[in-house]
Amino acid sequence: MDVDVPGQKERALLAILATAAGSPVTRDRLAGLLWSDRADPQARDSLKHALASLKRSLNPLDPDVIAWDRTSAWMAVDRVEVDTVAYDRILREHLPERDFLALSLYRGDFLAGIRVADAAFQEWLLVERARHANSAEDAALRCLQRAVDNEDPSTIVSCAEAVLAINSFNEEACRALMRHWSSRGETARALSVFHRLEDGLRRNIGANPEVATMELAATVRLTRAPASTAEPVAPGLAGRPAVAVLPFQSESGDPNLSHLSLGIAEDLIASLAQYRWFPVLSRNAGVAAANESRPLPEIANSLGARYLLEGSIRLSGQRIRLNGRLLDGETAETLWAGRYDRDLTDIADLQDELARRVAGAIEPELLIGESRRARARPPATGDAYDFHMRGVWHHNQQDRAEDFAQAIVWQRRAIEIDPGFARAHMVLARSLYARSLHGYSADTHTDAAECSTAASRAVALDSADAYSHYAMCLAHLMDSRPAEALAAAERAISINPSLALAYNAVGWSRIFVGRPTEAIEPLEFAIRLSPRDPLTYLFLSRLALAHYHLGDYVSALHFSEQALSLRKRHFIGVIQLAALGQLNRLDEAKGLIPAFVEFAPADPNGYWKMLTNYRSSSDREHLLDGLQRLGIAPEI
């Protein structure tokens, strides 16, 4: 039987009592964990009401599962099955065959959906999450060791991946996978495991893998079959393509600008590293290369970089101008160029702003270029990264139903090869959402379920990737959970303040929770941050929707028409026609309805439910009112 426990504090209270496994928890302890910011009488009164509310919620399950007296409260865990209690009990038995059962009960971060801001509760939650994660990791490692001892290949892979899903930096599990794939002659997959570990350690904690892991990687490399006819390939070109940032040159010859040039280079490296699509070479590599008088392709090859970012700085009075160029390291072709003029005020803020703007602008160019490369090559057998980038190319077309279908197929193939590839799960979630938003999904409900699973997997595998949280935002929007979507979008910005998609997601989510005024600024900033983004039409359409809900129908019409000039899509036409309906421009609207109908969704009911997943029914009715004035009655 399913029961609904309303309120975050009530859910937190239930979790605290459940983890006590039947032991009484004092009222003072409970009040201190959940209402530490209130005076003692208020906190105890809040606890009393929360206990009563929780008991009412659980009455259909068992009226006696929650009880309390004047000093304590407790949960009768013998009357119901509690997964966290069963999990702890199984692990205490110390039986090898029970480790697998315990792992089946572990589903990621403990209380992942809980949102209680009280500092005392957050501290308790961190301890509990660490305890659960550590015990699950230990159980998975025991399963892995038994699989290794028994020489059971399939179980080695599944157990190692279970360990890495809990702790992506566990080197024992990485080494087990590397040995497994190497023994099967799949050195590329073995080295892929190493490179993900190496990249993650350096980006997150500034550390290198253990000596044993480095030595194993070197051994695996030696087992590679030599290619007799292939030309030597720079390290960055052999796997994930690297980016090198060269120090920006002073056009005015002012030696005082050298520190600013290096500072901007460092900030750019840090900003680009947050995207995690490509390795970004250290500042020292760029400084050394900038002092060499060699052709750019030679410099790129010597650095192992597929892309070079260079530029210049000019100082004129109290104004500073920065020119930047992103170059293809093989051909020296300019892929992107931008110019930024600013007042020379606070240097630190200036560096940060320039780095954020440049990083936000070039990231789409990097993805477009790399996915185009992948598509131009014949499919590589067993290459998860190659399959992933092919899918990215199709996803970025943002056009035909076939492209979204291909994007999904390629990500699924990448995941089959490498189930621990967080980015493939992330793009799979985005493509499933996009297919539904564009109206191409024949079963929006099924796509929503897979989108949620893929996004959750991406976050579990790489919680430090802003894109994973962006995908989680989309999954929540699809699942009628706009408040959770907003939290995920805000988390993405906190990880990567240069990610235009994250600002778009914050604005989008704020519209759906009923805060359109606060949506305008992040949506406008997303457009400024990434003016050539393939998803600009989406940014503009959300800006149109925000203005619509503010009652500014003229602006809503203006931005929806701008968006439609880039992509003619049903969901954009909805805003355009609703605005025309509110403006009583009926004749103009009638001429647009045939094109609107042409892009009708394949799953009308599912599509309209997703499109109007507002927290407040009044916002939904406001949008539909504009359409109904034109005689359009969507199916919901």
Side-chain angles (χ1 to χ4, degrees), residues 12-25 30 51 54 66-67 72-75 77 85 124:
L13 178 59
L14 176 62
I16 296 168
L17 295 175
T19 54
S23 299
V25 183
L30 293 171
L51 283 168
L54 180 58
I66 298 292
S72 304
W74 57 91
M75 183 176 184
V77 295
V85 175
W124 174 86

Side-chain angles (χ1 to χ4, degrees), residues 339-461:
R339 187 178 73 184
Y340 302 87
D341 289 291
R342 294 292 183 274
D343 287 325
L344 189 61
T345 52
D346 188 287
I347 293 294
D349 289 344
L350 177 67
Q351 287 181 196
D352 180 67
E353 182 199 354
L354 291 174
R356 186 166 54 172
R357 293 292 182 89
V358 173
I362 72 171
E363 184 259 357
E365 304 297 334
L366 289 168
L367 285 182
I368 291 169
E370 197 54 30
S371 59
R372 188 184 295 121
R373 285 173 183 269
R375 189 171 181 271
R377 294 190 297 267
T381 303
D383 189 338
Y385 180 79
D386 183 73
F387 288 173
H388 164 63
M389 291 309 300
R390 287 172 182 274
V392 169
W393 186 89
H394 284 286
H395 176 86
N396 282 340
Q397 300 311 297
Q398 295 285 302
D399 195 4
R400 303 175 303 147
E402 177 62 21
D403 278 316
F404 288 117
Q406 285 295 313
I408 291 165
V409 166
W410 284 113
Q411 299 309 330
R412 286 174 177 161
R413 291 185 66 181
I415 291 166
E416 286 176 7
I417 295 169
D418 185 355
F421 194 178
R423 291 207 153 256
H425 290 281
M426 177 271 292
V427 176
L428 174 60
R430 290 179 58 191
S431 295
L432 288 161
Y433 180 88
R435 176 165 72 177
S436 298
L437 180 66
H438 285 249
Y440 294 135
S441 175
D443 187 346
T444 306
H445 178 75
T446 298
D447 276 358
E450 188 178 1
C451 174
S452 179
T453 299
S456 298
R457 184 67 173 148
V459 171
L461 288 167

Side-chain angles (χ1 to χ4, degrees), residues 11 16 67 90 94 146 198 213 287 312 320 402 446 509 518 632:
R11 294 174 188 175
I16 296 168
I90 291 168
H94 297 295
R146 286 193 292 274
E198 182 183 42
T213 311
V287 170
S312 62
I320 187 168
E402 177 62 21
T446 298
S509 302
E518 299 171 37
I632 299 172

